[in-house]
Amino acid sequence: MSTDTDTDTDTGTGSGTGTGTATDDTGTRTRTGAPRRRRRGAERRPRFAIAVTAVFFALLYLPVGVVVLFSFNSQKSLTVLDGVSLRWYEALLHDEVLLDSLGMSLRVSLVAMAGSLVLGVALALGLVRSRSRLGSFAGLIMLVPLITPEIVTGVAAMLLFKGLGITLSTTTVMLAEITFSISYVTVILRSRIAALNPEVEEAAMDLGATRGQALRLVTLPALLPSILASAVLIFALVFDDFVLAYFTTGVDPQPLSVRIYSAIRFGVQPTINAVGTLMLVGSIGLIVLALAIPRLFGRKGGLDLLSGK
């Protein structure tokens, strides 16, 4: 007598967990059910977050796009686009008031950039190399302008100049912008200086270099990428600054941001759209320059430049 016994090798669990096993053509069992569903859920795109992000960028850049679009309008209308023309850019080239303001903004930005770099580099070196409690306290004080509302700084600068009997002019704007920009330079350079190995300077002095030569030939070249990053940042901040320039400028000439504000109080002219477009192009150019600088020094990343790393 022979007994045939058939054994079912395929098993499954039906306890309500939704998991089980399946056998493919090669006899290999694969798990199906909840793990795969959980994996698909994890890979699902967050539609709500994408929608919120899209709305945010639309509200942020749509007005800028409208300004750029109507700067090429052939008519004076700011609501109806009727043809494409460079009429308002040509009008800008013949507007001596706006050109004078543009030249003043460029001069103030360059002077503020140079002055804040010189003072900021020296201050950052002093704060990092100082080991006294006064140096630590001064380092904390340098953070105050970064968190103080700019309108407070502007009013304080105006009251200071008025109290000293100094007439508001281009010089007062430059002094105020330099004072305000030193903190940015110091904060950027402090992290970079702290990361430098002091033994490099000591080795240079052991080889016969003076402390000044070691600073000029060793330390400053190592800080050059961070110094250039600070220069780009300060130039962009000062050129676009309005609050501080508004409280410290004189009657004429005025910085471009203050001049634009004075002009739009009596109605927006299409020439203002052309000015805004040129300022936007200049800002994008500065960003591209900031991202390209690390490549010149053999670095891979461009965004680390603004952090001074």
Side-chain angles (χ1 to χ4, degrees), residues 69-75 77 80-83 85 87-88:
L69 181 63
F70 278 90
S71 68
F72 296 98
N73 193 4
S74 60
Q75 302 298 325
S77 175
V80 178
L81 183 63
D82 186 13
S85 174
R87 170 185 176 183
W88 306 115

Side-chain angles (χ1 to χ4, degrees), residues 97-163:
V97 175
L98 286 178
L99 291 179
D100 290 341
S101 298
L102 176 61
M104 179 184 176
S105 294
L106 292 175
R107 291 193 303 271
V108 171
S109 300
L110 291 174
V111 173
M113 179 184 67
S116 60
L117 283 179
V118 174
L119 298 176
V121 170
L123 183 58
L125 287 171
L127 292 177
V128 173
R129 302 295 169 82
S130 176
R131 299 181 180 179
S132 62
R133 294 182 179 180
L134 182 60
S136 301
F137 179 74
L140 294 176
I141 292 298
M142 290 306 303
L143 299 177
V144 174
L146 301 180
I147 60 177
T148 303
E150 192 175 357
I151 189 172
V152 176
T153 305
V155 173
M158 181 187 66
L159 294 178
L160 175 64
F161 293 135
K162 291 289 187 179

Side-chain angles (χ1 to χ4, degrees), residues 162-182:
K162 291 289 187 179
L164 296 177
I166 301 176
T167 304
L168 298 181
S169 61
T170 304
T171 303
T172 56
V173 179
M174 292 178 179
L175 293 176
E177 296 290 357
I178 290 175
T179 305
F180 180 72
S181 303
I182 292 176

Side-chain angles (χ1 to χ4, degrees), residues 268-305:
V268 179
Q269 299 294 325
T271 309
I272 303 300
N273 292 334
V275 175
T277 302
L278 293 178
M279 293 178 66
L280 175 64
V281 172
S283 300
I284 295 176
L286 290 176
I287 295 175
V288 173
L289 179 61
L291 297 178
I293 287 177
R295 301 290 181 178
L296 301 178
F297 293 90
R299 296 190 178 187
K300 295 181 180 180
L303 296 178
D304 293 339
L305 178 65

Side-chain angles (χ1 to χ4, degrees), residues 1-2 8 15 24 38 75 78 86 145 155 184 187 215 265 267 273 301 304:
M1 183 189 315
S2 62
D8 188 5
S15 58
D24 57 12
R38 286 195 297 267
Q75 302 298 325
L78 297 176
L86 298 177
V155 173
Y184 291 92
V187 170
L215 176 64
R265 286 175 14 183
N273 292 334
D304 293 339

